[in-house]
């Protein structure tokens, strides 16, 4: 039984609903949220994609059926999230788990770090091994969640222990080639957004191109660090090759919040028409450490946030010119992607008319 968010469903194309279709998976990859009951899966989804306050998640009811949501609010962040209830046995003989894992881009397994995680590790091993047999291209991501209640030393020790046990289980099963990525997360800080950013980036085929464009942009503009953000979710879909500092990322998120909040108050017309974020959106924030935060609109849902030294920001004309070239290149990448999507849709419709998927398997309706 599948529940779909009506507000998000308005932007869903019917072609994407058949998850047995390999063409649809290439256009809109699927992210699975799995884990034991009360591990925090639904809270993560609500905080990251629905702007819910972390404190409000305390009142969320336990998920008792599969909830599917389409995230298609930007040029590159375009995928489905499937939230699975922890109490359902997905490996029951009557449940076709191959249908679930086929076409999945990433599997996020959430472990409650404040609870006994031995059962969770056993479930993680079972889930990963079954999924890998069906689809060897899945990215396996482990969120060690609710770490806000742990001390720094306890966080490190918990991550080390879970990492060791999970990989030992795979080695014992002869599956050393399966790679698990581990993240310490909490909905009470920006760690959950940074972790989701890294998960989503792996699903963006244009990522190397975007990173290369950002590297060229900052090297020619005297910029220290640049992020390409999805404004709605505050996920950064690309950054330059320099290391990401958590404090830097948090400042970017706070700047986006400030820009949107102020634009909602002062950026709309008297009759309330228009949008708070458009092609004219730009912002400059000067910090007390001679650093300047510079935000510019790239597309309807993407923003470039840069860290610039004050002396470098004096050449704002050069930065703006280089940004214009960067923005043009991003739009060209987006146009190429849209042509690919359109081609996939045409192929998808042709296969639907034939009544079967390209590999010959019968189509199973939702």
């Amino acid at each position: 039984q599948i529940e779909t968010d009506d507000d998000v469903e308005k932007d869903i194309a019917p072609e994407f609903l058949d998850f047995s279709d390999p063409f649809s998976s290439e256009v809109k990859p699927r992210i699975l949220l799995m884990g034991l009951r009360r591990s925090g899966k639904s809270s993560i989804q609500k905080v990251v994609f629905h702007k819910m306050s972390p404190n409000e998640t305390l009142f969320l009811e336990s998920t008792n059926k599969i909830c599917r949501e389409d995230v298609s609010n930007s040029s590159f962040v375009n995928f489905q999230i499937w939230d699975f209830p922890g109490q359902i046995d997905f490996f029951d003989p009557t449940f076709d788990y191959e249908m679930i894992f086929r076409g999945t881009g990433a599997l996020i397994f959430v472990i409650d770090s404040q609870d006994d995680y031995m059962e969770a590790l056993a479930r993680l091993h079972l889930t990963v091994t079954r999924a890998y047999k069906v689809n060897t291209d899945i990215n396996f991501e482990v969120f060690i969640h609710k770490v806000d209640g742990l001390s720094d030393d306890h966080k490190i020790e918990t991550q080390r222990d879970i990492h060791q046990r999970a990989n030992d289980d795979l080695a014992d099963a002869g599956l050393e080639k399966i790679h698990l990525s581990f993240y310490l997360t909490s909905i009470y800080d920006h760690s959950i957004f940074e972790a989701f950013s890294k998960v989503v980036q792996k699903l963006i085929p244009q990522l190397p191109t975007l990173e290369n464009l950002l590297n060229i942009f900052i090297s020619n503009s005297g910029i220290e660090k640049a992020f390409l953000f999805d404004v709605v979710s505050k996920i950064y879909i690309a950054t330059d090759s320099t290391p990401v500092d958590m404090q830097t990322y948090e400042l970017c998120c706070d700047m986006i919040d400030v820009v949107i909040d102020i634009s909602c108050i002062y950026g709309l017309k008297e009759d309330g028409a228009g949008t708070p974020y458009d092609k004219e959106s730009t912002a400059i924030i000067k910090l007390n450490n001679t650093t300047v935060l510079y935000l510019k609109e790239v597309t309807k849902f993407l923003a470039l946030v840069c860290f610039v030294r004050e002396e470098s920001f004096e050449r704002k004309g050069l930065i703006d010119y280089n940004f214009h070239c960067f923005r043009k290149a991003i739009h060209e990448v987006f146009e190429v992607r849209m042509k690919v999507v359109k081609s996939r849709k045409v192929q998808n419709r042709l296969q639907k008319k034939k009544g079967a998927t390209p590999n010959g398997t019968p189509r199973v309706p939702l």
Side-chain angles (χ1 to χ4, degrees):
Q1 189 175 14
I2 299 173
E3 180 184 30
T4 304
D5 191 310
D6 291 336
D7 293 333
V8 185
E9 188 71 17
K10 295 175 182 177
D11 294 328
I12 298 175
E15 293 86 353
F16 296 136
L17 298 184
D18 186 359
F19 59 81
S20 66
D21 190 339
F23 289 123
S24 65
S25 67
E26 290 180 49
V27 174
K28 186 171 292 202
R30 194 161 57 247
I31 295 177
L32 308 184
L33 268 175
M34 307 183 85
L36 299 183
R37 291 189 64 184
R38 312 304 300 176
S39 57
K41 303 182 295 296
S42 299
S43 299
I44 290 172
Q45 183 181 352
K46 294 295 184 183
V47 168
V48 175
F49 297 105
H50 291 270
K51 300 293 184 184
M52 180 177 283
S53 166
N55 292 323
E56 292 179 39
T57 62
L58 298 172
F59 306 103
L60 287 176
E61 295 183 3
S62 182
T63 305
N64 55 16
K65 50 190 171 183
I66 302 173
C67 297
R68 193 209 65 218
E69 177 178 337
D70 281 50
V71 178
S72 53
N73 54 357
S74 82
S75 308
F76 298 99
V77 182
N78 195 22
F79 51 86
Q80 292 180 344
I81 293 183
W82 293 59
D83 184 5
F84 287 80
Q87 69 271 24
I88 292 181
D89 182 8
F90 299 99
F91 306 110
D92 186 283
T94 60
F95 193 92
D96 190 357
Y97 64 88
E98 291 188 9
M99 293 287 288
I100 297 295
F101 296 132
R102 188 182 303 133
T104 293
L107 190 157
I108 299 175
F109 196 93
V110 184
I111 297 177
D112 185 349
S113 64
Q114 299 184 30
D115 199 2
D116 181 18
Y117 45 77
M118 292 304 144
E119 183 184 354
L121 283 171
R123 185 63 174 266
L124 168 66
H125 180 75
L126 178 63
T127 304
V128 167
T129 52
R130 292 286 182 92
Y132 187 78
K133 288 179 182 178
V134 176
N135 182 359
T136 57
D137 294 326
I138 294 180
N139 297 320
F140 296 105
E141 321 284 354
V142 181
F143 284 9
I144 304 171
H145 198 47
K146 302 183 183 180
V147 296
D148 49 278
L150 306 180
S151 65
D152 290 342
D153 290 341
H154 196 180
K155 288 179 187 178
I156 297 172
E157 178 61 26
T158 300
Q159 183 177 21
R160 186 201 62 77
D161 189 42
I162 291 176
H163 183 281
Q164 184 71 40
R165 290 176 183 273
N167 283 305
D168 285 349
D169 288 343
L170 291 175
D172 292 342
L175 295 170
E176 297 96 335
K177 56 188 173 183
I178 297 179
H179 176 70
L180 303 177
S181 299
F182 297 86
Y183 308 87
L184 293 172
T185 60
S186 169
I187 58 174
Y188 291 95
D189 58 29
H190 291 87
S191 60
I192 190 61
F193 293 94
E194 184 177 25
F196 235 106
S197 296
K198 292 177 179 178
V199 171
V200 171
Q201 285 170 24
K202 295 178 183 179
L203 304 179
I204 300 174
Q206 301 89 353
L207 182 63
T209 302
L210 299 178
E211 290 180 345
N212 189 40
L213 289 172
L214 285 167
N215 284 331
I216 295 171
F217 173 66
I218 67 169
S219 63
N220 288 283
S221 307
I223 292 172
E224 295 195 344
K225 186 69 181 171
F227 293 89
L228 192 60
F229 269 93
D230 175 66
V231 176
V232 176
S233 64
K234 289 186 293 188
I235 287 175
Y236 71 93
I237 65 170
T239 185
D240 58 86
S241 56
T242 60
V244 176
D245 176 55
M246 187 65 176
Q247 187 177 12
T248 300
Y249 174 68
E250 290 177 359
L251 282 170
C252 292
C253 292
D254 292 341
M255 182 181 193
I256 291 172
D257 285 336
V258 169
V259 170
I260 297 299
D261 290 345
I262 293 179
S263 297
C264 286
I265 299 172
Y266 300 106
L268 300 177
K269 298 178 181 178
E270 293 183 1
D271 58 357
T275 57
Y277 182 78
D278 55 30
K279 61 182 180 179
E280 301 297 329
S281 295
T282 184
I284 300 170
I285 296 179
K286 295 186 177 180
L287 306 180
N288 58 7
N289 62 351
T290 70
T291 302
V292 177
L293 284 175
Y294 191 32
L295 180 146
K296 294 277 285 184
E297 184 264 1
V298 178
T299 70
K300 185 178 180 182
F301 293 103
L302 293 180
L304 181 74
V305 183
C306 307
F307 279 75
V308 195
R309 290 291 176 190
E310 281 188 354
E311 55 268 25
S312 299
F313 196 67
E314 292 176 358
R315 298 177 296 169
K316 183 173 176 293
L318 172 65
I319 294 174
D320 286 343
Y321 174 78
N322 287 340
F323 170 77
H324 174 75
C325 298
F326 170 80
R327 187 174 185 271
K328 182 180 178 182
I330 290 292
H331 280 269
E332 289 175 358
V333 173
F334 174 61
E335 288 171 6
V336 170
R337 180 185 180 280
M338 290 306 296
K339 289 178 181 178
V340 172
V341 170
K342 188 175 181 180
S343 174
R344 299 292 187 196
K345 284 185 178 181
V346 171
Q347 290 178 299
N348 195 9
R349 291 192 182 99
L350 290 174
Q351 291 297 336
K352 282 193 171 187
K353 289 180 180 179
K354 295 179 181 179
T357 57
N359 61 8
T361 56
R363 199 168 293 282
V364 179
L366 284 175

